[in-house]
Amino acid sequence: MLKLMLLLYALVLAQAGAHLHRVPIYRQKNFVKTQDNIRAEVAFVRAKYGAVSAISTAAANSTTNTTNLPKEQLVNDVNMEYYGIITIGTPPQTFNVLFDTGSSNLWVPSIQCASPSCQDHMSFNPTLSTTYRYTNEMITLEYGSGGMSGFLGIDVINVSGLVVANQTFGLATTELNNTFVRDGFDGILGMGYASLAVDNVVPPFYNMLAQGLIANPVFSFYLARNGTSQQGGELIFGGSDPSLYKGSMTYADITQQNYWQFNMDSATLNGQVLCTNCAAIADTGTSLLVAPTDIYNKIKVVLGVNTDDTIDCSNTSNMPTFLFTIGGKVFGVPNSAYIISTDTGCILGVSGMESQFWILGDVFLGQYYSEFDLGKNRIGFASVSGMNYTTGGGASNRKQLRLLEFAALLAVFWKVLDYIN
Ligand SMILES: *[C@@H]1O[C@H](CO)[C@@H](O)[C@H](O)[C@H]1NC(C)=O
Ligand SMILES: *[C@@H]1O[C@H](CO)[C@@H](O)[C@H](O)[C@H]1NC(C)=O
Ligand SMILES: *[C@@H]1O[C@H](CO)[C@@H](O)[C@H](O)[C@H]1NC(C)=O
Ligand SMILES: *[C@@H]1O[C@H](CO)[C@@H](O)[C@H](O)[C@H]1NC(C)=O
Ligand SMILES: *[C@@H]1O[C@H](CO)[C@@H](O)[C@H](O)[C@H]1NC(C)=O
Ligand SMILES: *[C@@H]1O[C@H](CO)[C@@H](O)[C@H](O)[C@H]1NC(C)=O
Ligand SMILES: *[C@@H]1O[C@H](CO)[C@@H](O)[C@H](O)[C@H]1NC(C)=O
Ligand SMILES: *[C@@H]1O[C@H](CO)[C@@H](O)[C@H](O)[C@H]1NC(C)=O
């Protein structure tokens, strides 16, 4: 009897896991945060979202020496801390890519690219791939005063065992103004809606669905902000893993299908309501939390931030938690998540932009498990097991995680028993 139960149990487990495809997410090695590269990221994010002036108002009014800004602003090594591995072509050529929910194109450097940022990254050689197909189409992805331009090619890509045939992707022949120098990734794999894709290229996730590689049109992210191992989390295709989060997902409907845009019920800080029914997008390709400019100005007053966005490090422990209410649930972002301590002091991981929406980057997403549901056009968030209002993945959290896993196993056992009876 016990044997039968164990067998059934194993079958149930295998079934449950079968539709989830796991992709390890890595963190950039030797990752150093400096005030300059936080500012550089602010500029990059603004450029990404088409905000007109590339240099932040804070930087323009800054008392610090901004001589280096135009050069620094696009050296974007703060932005993309997390990346994963894919291969392109036959035999496979390997690339680190940023899985970016804030854009919708896949691109990597081409072997023909002589730009400095191509030189220190992996590049794709079409002549070495037997499955590669040429196109006549060009592509340009602009990020303010930088970005990439090149041509489109078609080949097979392999994302941790999900083998996508006929994927059209960009091959950069120029990466302008050192946009991607020093980045931990070679290229970007966009995971936004297809409507956002430049040149109407079908994004990889849509091809995975069309080719029947994943059963459910859902992917989910867990981005660890803390931990000693280089693995910084997991991207799961085909659903989410309840053993990685606490309780149930809280969902919000997508209000505009290009970015993953939705409405938050409210955002408050230190008892002050910053906005109600606030538009927001979830962007894994941004480390910052970005607020519309008028709201950002309120935030600066509440937190007592210096004009150049720096904060006195000695006065950060009392700073209030951002409370975002989404789908009726409160999601907190504590000071440990939004204050970034750098080599030269503390700086806010929150910025302002002339946009109509908030951008929830890794400062927020690193605190929660997030689920992107293309089938139901909704986004879900849940507390990471053992984490609510806290960062950290310490021993006690891991213990808690084990307990939860154990509880989940027990639940499966009961289900099997029910089934037998
Ligand atoms: C710089 O600060 C001044 C005075 O505080 C303000 O009037 C001006 O609008 C600021 N400029 C920018 C670009 O933010
Ligand atoms: C700012 O920095 C640049 C180069 O780092 C230097 O040449 C310039 O003298 C500095 N300007 C001021 C006002 O300190
Ligand atoms: C590169 O940056 C420089 C200075 O910031 C700017 O003048 C130039 O237009 C940029 N190049 C491109 C192609 O955007
Ligand atoms: C795809 O990549 C996985 C490793 O991530 C590998 O095990 C598998 O053999 C690859 N499949 C093909 C068809 O290349
Ligand atoms: C890929 O394209 C080739 C050539 O057009 C076609 O024969 C093949 O069926 C396509 N494969 C998939 C999975 O779409
Ligand atoms: C310390 O932080 C509190 C709360 O954010 C703020 O009101 C106060 O002005 C700060 N004090 C200094 C000296 O920065
Ligand atoms: C976190 O805990 C607070 C207080 O217990 C609760 O109000 C909030 O809903 C929790 N958030 C999540 C996402 O579980
Ligand atoms: C992780 O977070 C805890 C507190 O939340 C901190 O004590 C520890 O130093 C952090 N570890 C790393 C590697 O950042």
Side-chain angles (χ1 to χ4, degrees):
M1 185 60 199
L2 185 64
K3 257 187 198 161
L4 177 67
M5 268 170 57
L6 281 176
L7 183 68
L8 277 173
Y9 167 65
L11 281 176
V12 169
L13 262 198
Q15 194 97 47
H19 64 285
L20 297 182
H21 295 267
R22 294 165 191 276
V23 182
I25 302 281
Y26 300 94
R27 306 168 73 138
Q28 205 159 310
K29 265 181 284 179
N30 310 320
F31 187 69
V32 183
K33 290 195 193 261
T34 66
Q35 297 199 358
D36 269 352
N37 59 29
I38 299 285
R39 293 207 174 85
E41 185 185 354
V42 171
F44 181 89
V45 174
R46 297 161 72 85
K48 179 174 174 183
Y49 289 96
V52 190
S53 59
I55 298 175
S56 79
T57 49
N61 260 355
S62 161
T63 51
T64 59
N65 185 347
T66 56
T67 306
N68 288 328
L69 258 181
K71 180 159 55 76
E72 281 285 345
Q73 63 177 316
L74 295 166
V75 179
N76 181 39
D77 53 357
V78 142
N79 189 18
M80 293 108 178
E81 191 182 352
Y82 301 97
Y83 59 86
I85 298 168
I86 67 166
T87 68
I88 304 178
T90 315
Q93 299 178 39
T94 302
F95 299 90
N96 292 333
V97 292
L98 170 78
F99 291 105
D100 179 19
T101 59
S103 68
S104 299
N105 285 81
L106 167 64
W107 67 267
V108 295
S110 143
I111 192 88
Q112 294 169 28
C113 179
S115 307
S117 52
C118 291
Q119 296 305 304
D120 66 2
H121 285 111
M122 297 302 292
S123 53
F124 185 77
N125 186 346
T127 61
L128 296 183
S129 174
T130 56
T131 42
Y132 183 81
R133 286 191 284 142
Y134 287 85
T135 78
N136 298 322
E137 263 189 279
M138 309 302 290
I139 184 168
T140 299
L141 298 173
E142 283 176 29
Y143 294 100
S145 60
M148 66 73 87
S149 71
F151 54 94
L152 292 175
I154 303 170
D155 210 333
V156 58
I157 68 166
N158 183 346
V159 184
S160 280
L162 293 170
V163 181
V164 184
N166 302 333
Q167 176 64 48
T168 303
F169 63 105
L171 284 153
T173 49
T174 321
E175 291 184 10
L176 300 168
N177 275 356
N178 296 340
T179 312
F180 305 106
V181 166
R182 302 209 309 251
D183 273 327
F185 59 88
D186 307 306
I188 294 179
L189 192 153
M191 301 185 76
Y193 277 86
S195 55
L196 196 62
V198 172
D199 288 356
N200 294 317
V201 173
V202 179
F205 187 63
Y206 286 73
N207 277 333
M208 287 175 186
L209 295 171
Q211 295 174 21
L213 304 179
I214 36 186
N216 301 322
V218 178
F219 58 86
S220 59
F221 277 96
Y222 165 58
L223 301 176
R225 292 197 68 74
N226 185 345
T228 46
S229 76
Q230 208 206 328
Q231 178 163 350
E234 210 168 44
L235 160 60
I236 294 179
F237 286 102
S240 54
D241 180 351
S243 74
L244 291 174
Y245 58 85
K246 193 166 66 174
S248 56
M249 281 280 167
T250 300
Y251 293 100
D253 290 333
I254 297 304
T255 50
Q256 288 202 28
Q257 298 174 13
N258 37 58
Y259 299 113
W260 287 90
Q261 186 171 332
F262 60 100
N263 284 333
M264 307 191 284
D265 305 337
S266 68
T268 65
L269 183 63
N270 211 21
Q272 190 178 336
V273 178
L274 298 171
C275 61
T276 55
N277 208 24
C278 345
I281 66 166
D283 182 0
T284 55
T286 295
S287 77
L288 301 168
L289 181 64
V290 180
T293 312
D294 54 325
I295 296 174
Y296 176 61
N297 290 335
K298 288 190 214 169
I299 293 170
K300 285 178 77 165
V301 172
V302 173
L303 298 180
V305 180
N306 302 325
T307 49
D308 63 352
D309 283 359
T310 58
I311 310 172
D312 180 0
C313 285
S314 65
N315 190 29
T316 55
S317 57
N318 297 326
M319 288 204 168
T321 297
F322 278 90
L323 300 178
F324 298 105
T325 306
I326 300 169
K329 250 204 170 165
V330 180
F331 293 83
V333 175
N335 58 38
S336 57
Y338 70 77
I339 292 166
I340 300 168
S341 66
T342 71
D343 51 349
T344 52
C346 288
I347 190 164
L348 211 55
V350 184
S351 190
M353 202 172 86
E354 307 77 13
S355 65
Q356 299 304 306
F357 47 72
W358 289 69
I359 302 170
L360 307 184
D362 302 338
V363 164
F364 177 91
L365 297 172
Q367 307 296 301
Y368 296 98
Y369 193 101
S370 53
E371 183 187 291
F372 298 76
D373 188 338
L374 192 67
K376 298 196 170 110
N377 289 311
R378 62 181 188 174
I379 188 163
F381 299 107
S383 284
V384 172
S385 299
M387 270 171 62
N388 182 347
Y389 292 18
T390 57
T391 52
S396 67
N397 289 330
R398 279 198 295 277
K399 218 182 270 169
Q400 213 161 334
L401 186 63
R402 298 251 162 72
L403 275 174
L404 282 164
E405 275 170 358
F406 184 63
L409 291 191
L410 273 181
V412 172
F413 255 119
W414 287 125
K415 268 196 196 132
V416 171
L417 273 179
D418 266 359
Y419 186 73
I420 293 170
N421 298 335

